[in-house]
Amino acid sequence: MPALAQKLLVLRSHLLPLVAGHQRSSSFHQAAARYRPSGPPKLSPYDVNCILRGNEHTQEFGSGSVKCYDTNQLASNSPIEDSRTEGSCVHTSGLLLGIFDGHAGPACSQVISKRLMRYLAASLVPPDDLKTHLQNGAQSQSFVDCHNDKLEFVSEIKDIYERSFEIFANELTNTTLAGFQMHQVLENAFLRLDQDLSREALESPSIRTMSVAMSGAVAVVAHIDGPHLHIASTGDCSAVLGTVTDTGQWIAKKLTNEHNSDNVGEVRRLLNEHPATERDTVIRGERLLGQLAPLRALGDFRYKWTREQLEQLVVPQFGEHVIAPYYLTPPYLTACPEITHHILTPRDKFLILASDGLWDTMSPMQTVHLVGEHMYGKAFLQPLKLPKHDITFDEISQMLSTRKAGLQKKPLDRNAATHLIRNALGGTEYGVEHSKLSHMLSLPQDIVRLFRDDITITVVYFDSEYLRNCPT
């Protein structure tokens, strides 16, 4: 067996279960319905809190349309296949936030979570300014100020990635500011990164470049600049906007569409791209070529490369099974994102970005209600502050009565993403049940994936006063 094949055996073990059955929400609900925990909870409330809060992060901002965001993730796979990145654009005023859900291993999601933000941030810089930054030696990481980012690429692939970025950025300097279209910028960054991942694996095949090429990831990215919110989505992560009406009712506005076989328009698009003779084979068993659930993704070049490329580069290392049945007219998969533009108003209170591990367990409306209640209740976690002006005893009494009522709704978690995960895993019609939550968090590694997926969530809070006064 070739040396590279021995190194990549672990990747093959990730790939085969995906091919056998990339089951989503139905399988999780069926498994949960059959599962009956026995005995006392294995985890104490303290243990549960330590697990749930282990990866949470809150970032606050002093100005702009975003007040703060909460983010968290909980692993099911080992290692976790979800990734997340949040960062402020250094040379423009925008904020970038992304959720990346990997499959067939974590390699692709880990790589694109960092690189895509850099491609996007550089694309937003005016061409003349970008040229100046590059002439001054700017590298890819200097275009985004990432929050809560503790990792960097190893030198072996960092140099490869940096060369690709330099080529891309120099090409951007030849564009004109007059032709700037946000929709095209987002789409071009997704597609160009995907092309670079492909080229790097073909021209510099190694354990690292091939692990990215043979795995894949879906993504949802938000760019927020003043009142302008743009969402770019490839695959089945989702973005939901929490909006309040004049009567105080919550509305969940979904800003993304899942690119899977449940999406009739997506299925029609895919079938139209291939001969009529493949109508019964392009999607089989609700999966692309009978294997992959998302119909759009970055990476996954076993569904994009030509048969000749697969036979020459991939088959010798992975075996014949890497080529899907009825692989006749590739590419079958695209990384092209679907773009949504929304102008924020004071009624828009927060944005929820999440991988499908959350949406497998609750609806957009449920998440909006939970975050809305959490947003109201979180105010009572702060100490009571009396106004600086004179106040009567009756007014103080009224404030205390209001606070007493509000304390009953005080959330257990300060972080809204943690609050959602807690309810996703332990929620019942009567509230969060500790025994259920304890059992869901203490499932053995060999069966946990039957009950829940990786969950990654970012909740972005908007500044209503800023949005009320800023021009559109």
Side-chain angles (χ1 to χ4, degrees):
M1 180 183 293
L4 182 58
Q6 292 177 329
K7 294 179 181 179
L8 291 178
L9 274 176
V10 64
L11 179 60
R12 182 183 297 181
S13 69
H14 281 304
L15 189 61
L16 288 175
L18 172 71
V19 173
H22 190 72
Q23 300 291 342
R24 280 306 185 191
S25 59
S26 60
S27 63
F28 292 129
H29 292 315
Q30 291 168 5
R34 291 194 302 266
Y35 184 64
R36 292 292 182 269
S38 59
K42 298 179 180 180
L43 301 174
S44 68
Y46 174 82
D47 296 329
V48 166
N49 290 339
C50 287
I51 294 172
L52 290 181
R53 297 170 182 171
N55 296 309
E56 67 180 13
H57 175 75
T58 295
Q59 188 75 32
E60 297 182 350
F61 301 94
S63 61
S65 57
V66 175
K67 288 197 297 187
C68 64
Y69 71 79
D70 291 337
T71 184
N72 199 358
Q73 62 181 175
L74 180 71
S76 170
N77 294 289
S78 181
I80 188 172
E81 294 181 340
D82 283 5
S83 296
R84 57 180 174 170
T85 301
E86 312 87 39
S88 300
C89 297
V90 173
H91 302 296
T92 58
S93 56
L95 177 68
L96 289 164
L97 310 102
I99 302 288
F100 308 88
D101 184 353
H103 46 259
C108 187
S109 71
Q110 290 174 352
V111 168
I112 67 171
S113 69
K114 299 176 75 68
R115 294 183 69 185
L116 183 57
M117 298 311 207
R118 299 173 182 183
Y119 276 50
L120 286 166
S123 301
L124 295 168
V125 179
D128 290 343
D129 293 347
L130 178 59
K131 188 173 183 177
T132 300
H133 293 310
L134 295 174
Q135 290 173 343
N136 292 334
Q139 293 190 314
S140 62
Q141 68 270 21
S142 66
F143 287 87
V144 185
D145 179 18
C146 286
H147 312 297
N148 192 38
D149 185 9
K150 303 179 179 67
L151 301 175
E152 187 49 87
F153 296 125
V154 296
S155 58
E156 177 187 343
I157 55 172
K158 183 177 181 179
D159 293 340
I160 295 175
Y161 294 165
E162 202 60 40
R163 285 195 297 272
S164 295
F165 176 84
E166 184 179 356
I167 294 171
F168 172 59
N170 276 294
E171 291 177 6
L172 291 174
T173 63
N174 296 321
T175 60
T176 60
L177 189 60
F180 180 89
Q181 295 289 336
M182 191 65 183
H183 181 285
Q184 293 179 351
V185 167
L186 293 168
E187 183 176 301
N188 184 54
F190 270 70
L191 292 175
R192 179 53 182 264
L193 176 57
D194 200 53
Q195 292 168 10
D196 284 349
L197 295 175
S198 173
R199 179 183 50 78
E200 291 155 3
L202 292 172
E203 295 180 359
S204 305
S206 69
I207 178 71
R208 298 191 186 279
T209 58
M210 287 301 294
S211 66
V212 175
M214 290 296 100
S215 59
V218 298
V220 60
V221 174
H223 177 264
I224 307 169
D225 189 1
H228 295 281
L229 167 63
H230 286 87
I231 301 290
S233 174
T234 293
D236 54 9
C237 293
S238 294
V240 174
L241 191 66
T243 302
V244 68
T245 68
D246 287 337
T247 58
Q249 301 298 308
W250 286 107
I251 297 174
K253 181 176 181 179
K254 202 169 179 191
L255 301 179
T256 52
N257 296 308
E258 289 82 8
H259 300 129
N260 55 32
S261 60
D262 293 330
N263 184 331
V264 176
E266 188 69 4
V267 171
R268 186 180 297 114
R269 174 196 66 80
L270 186 59
L271 293 177
N272 289 339
E273 292 176 355
H274 298 275
T277 53
E278 294 186 63
R279 194 168 191 85
D280 295 329
T281 59
V282 170
I283 297 178
R284 293 185 299 120
E286 300 183 350
R287 288 169 172 71
L288 181 69
L289 298 175
Q291 297 186 346
L292 190 67
L295 302 183
R296 300 192 197 190
L298 291 98
D300 283 319
F301 293 106
R302 56 177 297 192
Y303 305 108
K304 298 174 182 176
W305 286 343
T306 66
R307 177 176 283 271
E308 291 73 21
Q309 288 172 319
L310 292 174
E311 289 175 342
Q312 292 173 12
L313 183 63
V314 184
V315 169
Q317 308 299 339
F318 291 90
E320 292 288 343
H321 74 274
V322 78
I323 302 180
Y326 305 103
Y327 196 76
L328 304 174
T329 56
Y332 288 91
L333 192 64
T334 180
C336 185
E338 188 171 354
I339 314 296
T340 301
H341 177 217
H342 176 82
I343 297 179
L344 296 167
T345 74
R347 298 181 190 277
D348 300 320
K349 301 303 180 183
F350 53 81
L351 173 71
I352 304 170
L353 304 172
S355 61
D356 64 350
L358 174 67
W359 311 115
D360 288 338
T361 63
M362 60 177 60
S363 69
M365 194 69 247
Q366 288 175 305
T367 64
V368 166
H369 274 298
L370 284 168
V371 174
E373 291 171 359
H374 180 270
M375 184 175 68
Y376 173 74
K378 191 167 63 171
F380 296 98
L381 292 173
Q382 306 298 325
L384 175 64
K385 292 183 179 180
L386 295 176
K388 294 181 180 180
H389 59 78
D390 292 338
I391 186 172
T392 67
F393 283 113
D394 287 341
E395 290 172 328
I396 294 176
S397 177
Q398 180 61 42
M399 289 177 63
L400 292 174
S401 298
T402 302
R403 185 172 178 84
K404 181 178 179 181
L407 286 173
Q408 297 177 0
K409 298 183 178 181
K410 181 181 70 174
L412 186 60
D413 303 294
R414 288 181 178 270
N415 186 294
T418 306
H419 180 66
L420 285 175
I421 295 174
R422 185 184 298 274
N423 280 271
L425 299 185
T428 70
E429 57 183 316
Y430 304 108
V432 176
E433 184 180 291
H434 171 70
S435 60
K436 180 181 178 183
L437 188 55
S438 170
H439 283 291
M440 290 295 285
L441 292 175
S442 57
L443 291 167
Q445 188 58 51
D446 58 342
I447 67 167
V448 62
R449 188 62 179 78
L450 297 173
F451 293 86
R452 59 181 178 87
D453 196 1
D454 298 332
I455 302 176
T456 302
I457 305 169
T458 298
V459 180
V460 186
Y461 291 99
F462 301 116
D463 188 327
S464 298
E465 283 303 311
Y466 176 92
L467 293 173
R468 186 172 289 110
N469 296 307
C470 75
T472 59

